[in-house]
Amino acid sequence: MKDILRVPMFALMLLCLTLIVFVTIYILAARHPKLGATLEKIFVGILFFTITGGSGIIAMPFTKLHPNVFYNVETTPPTMIAQIAIYGGMILMLFPRLTKTTQKTVSMCIKWIAGDIFLGLFLLIMTLSGLWSQTPEITFRAIGAIWGITLVSIYVGKVYSWLEIYGLLRWLTGLLALWLLVKTNAAPDGCWTGVLGHKNPFSFQMANTASLWILYAFKDRKYRYLSLFIILIALVGLQKGCSGASRILTVVLISLWSYLALLKKLPVKWAFLCFILFLVGSVGISILVLNNLEAIIVDGLKKDMTLTGRTEFWPLIIERINQNNPIFGYGIKGFWQWWRRSENPAYGIVVAKTGFVPPHSHNGFIDILCELGWAGLLLFIGSFFNNIFRGIKYLVKGSFPESGLPLYLLTFILMTNLTESGLLGVGTYWSWYVVLSVKLSLDRTAKENPH
């Protein structure tokens, strides 16, 4: 393909064909609003599928579409230019629709930040973190990529209903499961990794898929057989993923739907307290099983004792942060920099027993501590609890099960980032967190100001 593109005539023909397709779609989207809305969902779906989890899809062409190319030290300029052209073309094709859907965006953002002031301050520190980064060029490029994803997430939270968000979530996870029918990508140890490149994030997504589609199987009987088919694939993938943590997560997420149905009947304060107890209990049981009950882990869950390794290098990371700029950290993508060798801020952090050198913290909250310090971590925790409380209020007042989605997403984000990274960055953990924060702010405003 590259050789063909080097021939001027073929390159010119391809460019002309691309322009014809672009102009045609633009005209059709401008004349048919429903087509524009459908096209928009497809584009959003492509982006969110590309950045699934914390690291994204590893299959082509999604690796070239992932916004991390903007701060990856190995990325070539043509790849960056091509990605800008692709996403820029998507925006231009949707321009007739965006002129209507982006109205009153400024006032909406003010309402959002007013409803989640902790997240607003968090974003401010994130944006300024390049000023104290040891590699400001990398940090500012990463900040730009995160802001790009954040803006799309703000838009989704503004324009889409919870029902549409649930549908988007369901089909994105369903596609991950259906992909297994084509390729499982089994690792040398036999564990499946799917299109995510590692068994742990893959298994987490299979747990997410099973729990979302189980709910849909009960909600919509018309598509029950399809739901059961996807659930079956997800459970097989879960088993083949060899992740003990994901099996615990599956139980937690599935039981959460029944628990939320009970919480909906309680007063807000009691529902908030009971949900916090559910999270504490889920986290406590997960740590107990994964870290202490070796017989269950090895014999029952078929999982090695990797959490023990994590608990060895977590204190080393925290100690390194406390020694250098503990308040604001090293800046976005400023801590784990393997290419700097001995100048890498994370240099020397290693598991003594095995010699394992971690590429990241294997904990999303500790990664925030690395990049934005204690100030950033405390602000995010404040935002997280604020959104739990707002999610409880929406659960009690809204229509179930869609009203349970914010709390479901918060639970999924929390549980997956206890042993893996990706909470802050160009990934769907961050994207869905911004979406639910925006959506809860607008839903609250709508109830307070119905007219």
Side-chain angles (χ1 to χ4, degrees), residues 347-361:
Y347 182 78
I349 295 177
V350 60
V351 180
K353 293 181 180 179
T354 62
F356 173 67
V357 179
H360 50 74
S361 300

Side-chain angles (χ1 to χ4, degrees), residues 216-323:
Y216 191 61
F218 285 99
K219 178 180 172 60
D220 196 329
R221 296 184 178 182
K222 182 179 178 181
Y223 298 102
R224 176 164 294 182
Y225 289 110
L226 173 63
S227 299
L228 293 175
F229 179 64
I230 294 178
I231 292 168
L232 178 62
I233 298 175
L235 292 177
V236 171
L238 185 69
Q239 174 66 23
K240 294 293 186 179
C242 311
S243 170
S246 64
R247 298 173 194 180
I248 298 172
L249 176 64
T250 305
V251 175
V252 170
L253 293 178
I254 292 176
S255 61
L256 177 62
W257 289 118
S258 299
Y259 192 74
L260 292 178
L262 296 175
L263 293 188
K264 184 173 175 60
K265 302 176 183 179
L266 299 177
V268 172
K269 292 183 179 179
W270 283 107
F272 176 77
L273 176 61
C274 290
F275 183 74
I276 295 296
L277 291 175
F278 178 87
L279 290 182
V280 171
S282 299
V283 171
I285 292 173
S286 298
I287 293 175
L288 179 67
V289 172
L290 294 176
N291 197 35
N292 296 316
L293 301 184
E294 184 171 359
I296 294 178
I297 295 171
V298 176
D299 300 329
L301 296 179
K302 307 297 181 184
K303 177 177 172 63
D304 56 23
M305 297 292 287
T306 54
L307 189 61
T308 304
R310 288 178 175 87
T311 57
E312 283 188 16
F313 62 73
W314 282 343
L316 299 177
I317 296 171
I318 295 174
E319 181 182 357
R320 187 69 55 85
I321 296 299
N322 289 335
Q323 291 174 353

Side-chain angles (χ1 to χ4, degrees), residues 25-60:
I25 294 177
Y26 179 90
I27 294 173
L28 290 174
R31 293 182 177 180
H32 305 282
K34 290 185 178 180
L35 175 61
T38 301
L39 194 63
E40 177 189 272
K41 290 181 180 179
I42 293 173
F43 289 163
V44 170
I46 291 173
L47 177 60
F48 277 32
F49 184 76
T50 299
I51 62 174
T52 296
S55 56
I57 304 298
I58 62 169
M60 283 290 290

